[in-house]
Amino acid sequence: MRYLSLFISIVLTVVSCEKKEKFKPRSVSKIEFRTLLQDSLLDVRALEIVNENCVFFLTSNGYGGSVNLSEDNGAHVVYPIFIDDDSLKNNFRALAYTRKNRFGLTIGTPAKLYKIKNGENTMVYQEHHPKVFYDAMAFWNDQEGIAIGDPTDNCMSIIITRDGGETWTKLSCDDIPNTKAGEAAFAASDTNIAIIGTHTWVATGGVASRILYSPDKGHTWQVFDTPIIQGKETTGIYSIDFYDELNGFAIGGDYTKPDENSANKIRTKDGGKTWELVANNKNPGYRSCVQYIPNSNAKALVAIGFSGIDYSNDFGSTWKHLSDEGFYTIRFLNDSVAYAVGKGSVSKLTFK
């Protein structure tokens, strides 16, 4: 009798496994917009959801802003927040944070990296060079972070902190794969870097558009080719995101030809070693930012740019155009709510 019960248990387990349904991401058909801040002079490409109660952003004219999500009315905006007495000369395109501090990084020369905390803002890194131009920044944990920029020598500029952002050190080109002629990066959405655990992917663009990969938080690096459109200064990857250690997606194109949709969307299923074109010669065209929707099993993506917002629930194979509203970058709070910024506005987006 005991063996019969064991046999029945095994059979039921096998049948149960066989009947297990595949994950099906929900379908999104529209977006509900709520404008939190509107200003014709506003230009924002650096945005982060610091925690469930706070969204922080930095602008191209040197100011910061925050959205407090714990207010009874749903959101309280503080803007402008002064970062430096020389604010108007600071063009922020990169923003990252730890539990203790926020960090903002400017483009152009001199590059200036600020630690931002309760109105006491400190410059923790500065770099002078005719070619200096930093594009994106992110942290692995509260102690270790990375920022990347265009080459000043024969490799991408990479600076790293190992002490919580107090000091930053630029890596030698002896430790990074050499760039190709005309290879750089874009400061369009602060999403040139993707991090999962200790794994790091950096997207380059321009005449050559490739993936720099580090398995160990920036200690060693490899480089992988991609099939995305490249060959001109304005072509290549503008944004990259990873859902887990294997599944990643990148998008871009040519911002001077936003309607062109040839070879501007690529995906990987092996951690970035190889990439394939998807939705080739199908919309969307140029987009400056792509993000996975949380809890979607690497299936659902949202891509945004100054000409609209698009959605995919099949790992980027097909796309649905949801809105003509233009933004530069987006971050998800959960699988339904996101915050997006761009030219003239900071908005809350609810996907339905």
Side-chain angles (χ1 to χ4, degrees):
M1 193 70 177
R2 183 180 64 182
Y3 295 109
L4 178 60
S5 299
L6 180 60
F7 175 77
I8 293 173
S9 176
I10 294 172
V11 170
L12 289 176
T13 300
V14 172
V15 171
S16 175
C17 290
E18 288 178 347
K19 289 185 177 180
K20 187 177 180 180
E21 292 185 1
K22 292 183 179 180
F23 178 86
K24 293 182 180 179
R26 67 187 181 91
S27 179
V28 173
S29 58
K30 64 179 182 179
I31 306 172
E32 179 183 281
F33 294 91
R34 180 185 176 192
T35 301
L36 303 174
L37 175 63
Q38 195 161 28
D39 185 336
S40 61
L41 300 179
L42 196 67
D43 186 82
V44 189
R45 299 174 189 268
L47 165 77
E48 291 294 342
I49 299 176
V50 179
N51 55 53
E52 62 182 8
N53 294 321
C54 180
V55 173
F56 195 77
F57 60 90
L58 293 170
T59 73
S60 63
N61 58 356
Y63 298 118
S66 68
V67 182
N68 188 332
L69 308 178
S70 62
E71 299 291 326
D72 292 337
N73 64 0
H76 174 68
V77 180
V78 178
Y79 177 82
I81 296 172
F82 293 91
I83 306 300
D84 187 285
D85 290 338
D86 234 1
S87 281
L88 292 177
K89 295 181 181 179
N90 291 331
N91 187 335
F92 289 105
R93 299 290 183 91
L95 167 65
Y97 64 93
T98 65
R99 283 183 295 179
K100 292 184 177 180
N101 302 299
R102 299 159 196 174
F103 295 88
L105 180 58
T106 66
I107 60 172
T109 186
K112 293 184 281 185
L113 199 166
Y114 292 88
K115 180 178 70 174
I116 303 167
K117 184 178 183 179
N118 299 327
E120 298 180 2
N121 307 320
T122 307
M123 193 185 306
V124 291
Y125 180 82
Q126 186 170 185
E127 183 177 342
H128 292 264
H129 191 284
K131 296 181 180 179
V132 69
F133 196 103
Y134 280 91
D135 305 283
M137 181 168 48
F139 274 78
W140 291 288
N141 51 53
D142 281 343
Q143 291 300 308
E144 299 170 291
I146 179 174
I148 66 99
D150 295 354
T152 56
D153 199 350
N154 62 343
C155 68
M156 294 294 291
S157 294
I158 297 179
I159 58 173
I160 286 179
T161 181
R162 307 285 183 190
D163 61 4
E166 296 296 327
T167 60
W168 296 74
T169 301
K170 189 168 185 177
L171 298 187
S172 166
C173 284
D174 293 337
D175 301 320
I176 310 169
N178 288 347
T179 49
K180 294 184 176 182
E183 184 177 14
F186 298 111
S189 63
D190 194 20
T191 52
N192 310 71
I193 304 170
I195 288 176
I196 298 291
T198 64
H199 300 269
T200 309
W201 299 266
V202 172
T204 70
V207 177
S209 187
R210 302 186 294 169
I211 301 296
L212 289 173
Y213 168 68
S214 172
D216 51 13
K217 295 185 290 187
H219 290 286
T220 61
W221 293 89
Q222 300 170 261
V223 64
F224 303 118
D225 292 329
T226 78
I228 203 162
I229 185 172
Q230 49 200 287
K232 299 195 305 182
E233 290 184 355
T234 54
T235 58
I237 300 170
Y238 280 72
S239 179
I240 187 172
D241 194 24
F242 268 74
Y243 187 87
D244 53 33
E245 293 179 5
L246 296 177
N247 293 288
F249 201 92
I251 201 165
D254 184 342
Y255 85 91
T256 66
K257 300 176 181 178
D259 294 332
E260 291 196 1
N261 54 25
S262 175
N264 74 316
K265 300 170 285 292
I266 59 174
R267 70 185 177 197
T268 180
K269 296 181 180 180
D270 60 7
K273 296 179 178 64
T274 61
W275 295 80
E276 63 175 329
L277 290 172
V278 294
N280 194 22
N281 297 313
K282 297 178 181 178
N283 285 332
Y286 164 78
R287 292 291 181 263
S288 57
C289 182
V290 65
Q291 295 284 279
Y292 281 100
I293 295 179
N295 305 316
S296 66
N297 201 32
K299 298 290 185 182
L301 296 145
V302 168
I304 70 170
F306 56 72
S307 57
I309 304 172
D310 299 87
Y311 163 79
S312 172
N313 66 356
D314 57 6
F315 199 12
S317 295
T318 61
W319 293 81
K320 178 191 297 184
H321 186 67
L322 296 179
S323 174
D324 291 332
E325 292 285 336
F327 296 96
Y328 295 145
T329 195
I330 187 172
R331 299 293 185 275
F332 277 88
L333 177 65
N334 52 47
D335 59 9
S336 299
V337 176
Y339 291 84
V341 293
K343 187 71 173 177
S345 69
V346 176
S347 297
K348 176 183 178 182
L349 280 56
T350 303
F351 292 80
K352 297 184 173 182

